């Protein structure tokens, strides 16, 4: 029997570790930031900057804690800073806290878990009554303006708004029942 | 709390956290793809890599040709903040004439050599009173120091061996200057500012990490570096300014530029003059001198006097050439120290273009003695070779 050493395994570099973490948490971070910021043009910038701050401060991350939560904490501060510079108000502390609670419930802390939870969302969409399911498709998939939807469905814009709100409320209830929303 | 947001999705009419979160989930589900998320991550990773390159750790002190870079940025370092970023640049020339003592730490990051090696950064201390009074201290490895200065009309140089020379007064200031690891742009203060104002997109940076979260105002001057844009530009000044981005951190209380960093395009990227790679076709537009491809400076087309034809470079011990009358000499000490006898070394295979970046960082304010910028008492006046 020969004494064969196991091949030396190189320690992953900080860059490699960060890439894995960033890929695992990018979707969830983006959802969180969209909930906080809602300005589509600003979300992209806030996302990029959040990741850059996370990279610069990676050494500060406590590995015993959730990376996703840490990332969202940075994202909150970056979003507030961006909004402040643009004299916008995106969310007050209470709002931020509640969005974070929903994020924690949704957080699987890795990409596969996120996709599983998005599968749960698919299930919930399928269970929506036709009117609401149709509304989700028109608003989110087709990205039709509310006015266009209202004309097509012979509704007022206000009625369209209420219907899409109701659809989201039903989806929220469904996700809560399935344990992926606070 | 309602968002004041013109780009907000029309679907967001409810401000309950749960509603916002579900809205975000739906938006994500229907708008993001694997490819779009990959693209986002790749942008982040590219930015991380770029940042890493800039954060090169400084291990050694090696020096060359800093006065040129220093002169370039002096005007920008003393410009004020205004509500319009472009107005900042326009007013800079006026403010630059004010006489205030300032000191900056200068870091010049050379480009990667052709053999793939990254030369170490080059550091110096730059003392400035105004555009005519400057003093830059360069420290060689081993503790040797070289000082170059300008006191009004007189430029001088104190060499590591203690000898000192005062420059001749008739040498032109070349626009492009060859250095051991690349070429630097040299320009007058007013022209540099004019280029910025006319040719760069100047914006205030809304960034949570702006200027390292120091509370400083960050201003960014960006130049469109695409070849078509450059080639089609009617502005000759656009073509000759090589910095693709200039970042400035300004103290909003004192209107002082605390940090300025210029980033230059890579060697193989589009050049400001619309070409790729080192210029090989002779002088630049406007007759300014460009570094020739063989790494040696040839005679300029504008009738200005070039370097001596005997291949000497820098002020040799016999005092043939001294610092320029309008600023310190461009061809400063080699990274590995000055050449013996001031002779030119073997060809380096051509100029590499500007460095990666040059940064200027303000240190604690101090006042310099009245004679701080004067030539040393032992300085001798030299004349250029005829």
């Amino acid at each position: 029997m020969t004494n064969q050493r196991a091949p030396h395994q190189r320690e992953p570099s900080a860059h490699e570790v960060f890439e894995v973490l960033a890929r695992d948490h990018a979707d969830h971070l983006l959802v969180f930031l969209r909930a906080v910021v809602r300005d589509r043009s600003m979300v992209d910038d806030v996302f990029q900057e959040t990741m850059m701050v996370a990279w610069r401060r990676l050494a500060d991350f406590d590995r015993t804690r959730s990376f996703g939560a840490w990332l969202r904490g940075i994202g909150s501060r970056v979003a507030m800073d961006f909004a402040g510079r643009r004299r916008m108000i995106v969310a007050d502390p209470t709002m931020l806290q509640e969005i974070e609670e929903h994020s924690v419930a949704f957080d699987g802390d890795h990409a596969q878990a996120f996709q599983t939870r998005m599968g749960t969302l698919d299930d919930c969409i399928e269970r929506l009554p036709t009117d609401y399911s149709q509304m989700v498709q028109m608003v989110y998939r087709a990205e039709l303006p509310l006015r266009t939807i209202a004309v097509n469905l012979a509704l007022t814009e206000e009625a369209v708004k209420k219907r899409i709100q109701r659809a989201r409320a039903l989806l929220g209830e469904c996700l809560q029942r399935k344990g992926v929303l606070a | 709390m309602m968002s004041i947001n013109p780009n907000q999705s029309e679907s967001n009419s409810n401000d309950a956290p749960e509603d916002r979160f579900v809205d975000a989930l739906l938006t994500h589900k229907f708008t993001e793809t694997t490819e779009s998320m990959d693209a986002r991550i790749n942008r982040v990773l590219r930015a991380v890599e770029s940042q890493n390159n800039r954060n090169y750790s400084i291990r050694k002190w090696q020096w060359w040709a800093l006065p040129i870079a220093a002169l370039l940025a002096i005007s920008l370092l003393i410009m004020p903040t205004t509500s319009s970023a472009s107005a900042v640049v326009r007013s800079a020339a006026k403010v630059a004439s004010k006489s205030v003592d300032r000191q900056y730490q200068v870091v010049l990051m050379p480009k990667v050599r052709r053999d793939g090696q990254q030369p170490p950064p080059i550091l110096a201390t730059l003392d400035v009173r105004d555009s005519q009074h400057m003093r830059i201290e360069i420290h060689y490895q081993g503790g040797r120091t070289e000082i170059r200065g300008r006191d009004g009309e007189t430029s001088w140089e104190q060499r590591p061996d203690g000898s000192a020379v005062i420059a001749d007064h008739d040498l032109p200031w070349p626009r492009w200057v060859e250095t051991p690891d690349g070429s630097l742009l040299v320009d007058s203060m007013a022209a540099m500012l004019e280029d910025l104002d006319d040719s760069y997109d100047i914006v205030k940076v809304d960034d949570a990490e702006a200027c390292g979260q120091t509370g400083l105002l960050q201003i960014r001057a960006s130049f469109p570096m695409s070849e078509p844009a450059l080639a089609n530009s009617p502005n000759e000044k656009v073509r000759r300014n090589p910095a693709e981005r200039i970042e400035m951190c300004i103290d909003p209380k004192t209107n002082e530029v605390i940090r300025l960093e210029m980033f230059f395009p890579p060697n193989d990227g589009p050049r400001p003059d619309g070409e790729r790679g080192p210029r090989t076709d002779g002088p630049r537009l406007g007759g300014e001198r460009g570094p020739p491809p063989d790494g040696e400076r040839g005679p300029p087309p504008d009738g200005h006097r070039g370097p001596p034809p005997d291949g000497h470079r820098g002020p040799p011990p016999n005092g043939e050439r001294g610092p320029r009358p309008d600023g310190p000499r461009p061809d400063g000490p080699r990274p590995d120290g000055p050449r013996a006898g001031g002779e030119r070394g073997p060809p380096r295979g051509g100029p590499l273009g500007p460095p990666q970046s040059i940064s200027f960082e303000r240190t604690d304010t101090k006042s310099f003695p009245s004679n701080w910028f004067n030539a040393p008492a032992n300085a001798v006046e030299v004349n250029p070779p005829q």
Side-chain angles (χ1 to χ4, degrees), chain B residues 296-328:
Chain B
E296 298 199 3
R297 206 182 300 164
D302 53 5
H304 288 159
R305 190 184 315 161
D310 58 2
H312 281 225
R313 185 177 178 205
N318 62 6
E320 280 187 346
R321 289 182 65 196
R324 310 281 167 153
D326 46 356

Side-chain angles (χ1 to χ4, degrees), chain B residues 311-359:
Chain B
H312 281 225
R313 185 177 178 205
N318 62 6
E320 280 187 346
R321 289 182 65 196
R324 310 281 167 153
D326 46 356
R329 293 183 60 86
D331 40 359
R334 295 158 56 85
D336 50 354
R339 294 188 184 96
E343 290 179 358
R344 188 187 293 274
R348 292 181 298 275
L352 300 177
Q356 274 187 46
S357 65
I358 308 169
S359 70

Side-chain angles (χ1 to χ4, degrees), chain A residues 23 27 34-36 38-39 41 44 49 53 56-57 81 85 89-90 95 122 140 165 168 176, chain B residues 1 3 5 7 11-13 15 17-20 23 28-29 32 40 42 51 207-209 213:
Chain A
R23 290 192 186 282
D27 287 288
R34 281 202 165 104
V36 171
R38 298 201 295 179
D39 180 330
S41 67
D44 291 343
E49 186 56 26
V53 174
R56 289 194 285 269
R57 298 186 178 167
D81 190 84
R85 287 166 187 262
I89 300 168
V90 290
M95 172 73 75
D122 289 340
Y140 290 99
Q165 277 180 23
R168 287 197 299 263
Q176 281 172 340
Chain B
M1 192 176 293
S3 167
N5 187 344
N7 294 316
S11 60
N12 290 311
S13 56
D15 224 27
E18 181 184 306
D19 188 65
R20 286 171 71 151
D23 175 66
H28 191 85
K29 171 180 171 51
E32 295 295 338
R40 286 180 188 278
N42 290 338
Q51 190 173 72
D207 187 333
E209 286 288 295
Q213 286 190 326

Side-chain angles (χ1 to χ4, degrees), chain A residues 119-182:
Chain A
T120 305
L121 176 64
D122 289 340
D123 290 342
C124 289
I125 293 172
E126 284 180 12
R127 291 166 189 266
L128 284 175
T130 305
D131 284 354
Y132 297 113
S133 171
Q134 179 191 39
M135 192 62 67
V136 167
Q137 298 297 329
M138 294 175 88
V139 170
Y140 290 99
R141 184 186 292 278
E143 297 186 89
L144 296 175
L146 294 185
R147 181 175 179 77
T148 304
I149 298 171
V151 170
N152 286 341
L153 298 181
L155 295 170
T156 64
E157 283 188 46
E158 197 58 32
V160 172
K161 284 183 184 176
K162 286 187 176 173
R163 191 173 288 185
I164 191 63
Q165 277 180 23
R166 180 63 186 148
R168 287 197 299 263
L170 290 172
L171 288 172
E173 290 167 12
C174 176
L175 291 170
Q176 281 172 340
R177 280 197 305 275
K178 293 175 179 285
V180 294
L181 204 63

Side-chain angles (χ1 to χ4, degrees), chain B residues 124-185:
Chain B
T125 302
L126 171 67
D127 300 332
V128 181
R129 177 162 290 158
D130 54 43
S131 61
Q132 296 298 309
H133 293 81
M134 296 177 296
R135 187 180 190 274
I136 191 159
E137 197 160 327
I138 306 167
H139 299 279
Y140 294 103
Q141 284 184 319
R144 290 179 301 159
T145 300
E146 178 171 339
I147 306 170
R148 293 162 186 247
R150 179 165 171 77
D151 177 20
E153 294 182 349
T154 305
S155 296
W156 53 269
E157 176 180 4
Q158 186 173 48
R159 297 169 182 151
D161 64 3
S163 64
V165 293
I166 295 174
D168 51 271
H169 291 264
D170 62 347
L171 288 178
W173 187 261
R175 194 151 212 290
W176 285 91
V177 174
E178 177 194 347
T179 67
D181 279 298
S183 302
L184 289 178
L185 173 73

